């Protein structure tokens, strides 16, 4: 039987740990209002000429999540070794998630789409760090509670 602390942690992450998925899906789920926000921000700060390349700017903004995933996966191993599994899986992931949300909200209040793009980049990092959560929980589980492994013999 896993410890009560591990069960509590797993339940808390299951209930509250979905913020990364929500942040990452904002661009897809809120497409019409975000397109209007991006268009207004571009016209306001860069002029109507810049609105001509709106679709390109919007597509590049959407790609920033993938850049965040790439950054997150690139540094994940080193961060786990340097900071530790728990610190990366819980503290760092949550901190980056809060920064992502704050950047998106600041973008709305300042009418700057660039902040939203930065938040979307951070959301990609949060998605990459979701893997850390699985690794951390798996390493905390006693061996008898882990999924059975296939044993192979080598000569």
């Amino acid at each position: 039987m896993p410890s009560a602390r591990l069960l509590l942690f797993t339940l808390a992450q299951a209930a509250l740990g979905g913020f990364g998925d929500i942040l990452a899906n904002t661009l897809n789920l809120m497409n019409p209002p975000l397109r209007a926000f991006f268009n207004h921000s571009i016209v306001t700060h860069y002029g109507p000429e810049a609105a001509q390349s709106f679709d390109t700017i919007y597509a590049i903004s959407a790609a920033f999540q993938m850049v965040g995933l790439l950054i997150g996966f690139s540094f994940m191993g080193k961060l786990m070794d340097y900071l530790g599994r728990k610190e990366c899986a819980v503290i760092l992931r949550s901190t980056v998630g809060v920064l992502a949300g704050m950047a998106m909200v600041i973008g709305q209040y300042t009418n700057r789409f660039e902040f939203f793009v930065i938040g979307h980049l951070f959301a990609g990092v949060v998605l990459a760090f979701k893997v850390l959560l699985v690794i951390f929980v798996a390493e905390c589980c006693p061996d008898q509670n882990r999924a059975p492994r296939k044993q192979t013999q080598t000569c």
Side-chain angles (χ1 to χ4, degrees):
M1 175 86 181
S3 70
R5 185 175 173 194
L6 179 62
L7 286 173
L8 181 64
F9 173 80
T10 306
L11 288 174
Q13 285 301 318
L16 304 172
F19 63 89
D21 298 327
I22 294 169
L23 286 170
N25 288 319
T26 7
L27 200 63
N28 295 332
L29 298 175
M30 298 186 61
N31 197 357
L34 283 176
R35 287 181 77 84
F37 161 65
F38 270 53
N39 193 32
H40 183 265
S41 176
I42 290 169
V43 169
T44 302
H45 297 288
Y46 301 106
E49 315 78 47
Q52 307 255 335
S53 57
F54 170 76
D55 288 327
T56 305
I57 293 170
Y58 194 76
I60 290 171
S61 302
F64 264 73
Q65 180 180 348
M66 296 301 140
V67 173
L69 276 166
L70 183 66
I71 291 169
F73 282 126
S74 297
F75 293 105
M76 187 169 36
K78 295 281 185 197
L79 284 171
M80 283 192 312
D81 292 340
Y82 182 71
L83 297 174
R85 292 338 186 222
K86 180 175 75 174
E87 286 76 11
C88 285
V90 180
I91 298 168
L92 186 62
R93 180 175 178 264
S94 298
T95 303
V96 174
V98 167
L99 290 174
M102 285 175 47
M104 290 180 184
V105 170
I106 288 171
Q108 178 65 36
Y109 282 111
T110 60
N111 194 29
R112 300 296 298 213
F113 77 94
E114 295 91 344
F115 282 110
F116 186 87
V117 173
I118 291 169
H120 207 55
L121 176 91
F122 286 160
V125 174
V126 170
L127 278 180
F129 284 3
K130 186 176 183 180
V131 174
L132 291 173
L133 199 59
V134 175
I135 293 170
F136 173 65
V137 171
E139 288 182 354
C140 289
C141 287
D143 288 338
Q144 67 269 16
N145 292 343
R146 295 183 189 180
R149 288 182 257 154
K150 195 174 193 178
Q151 300 278 335
T152 58
Q153 237 179 351
T154 58
C155 297

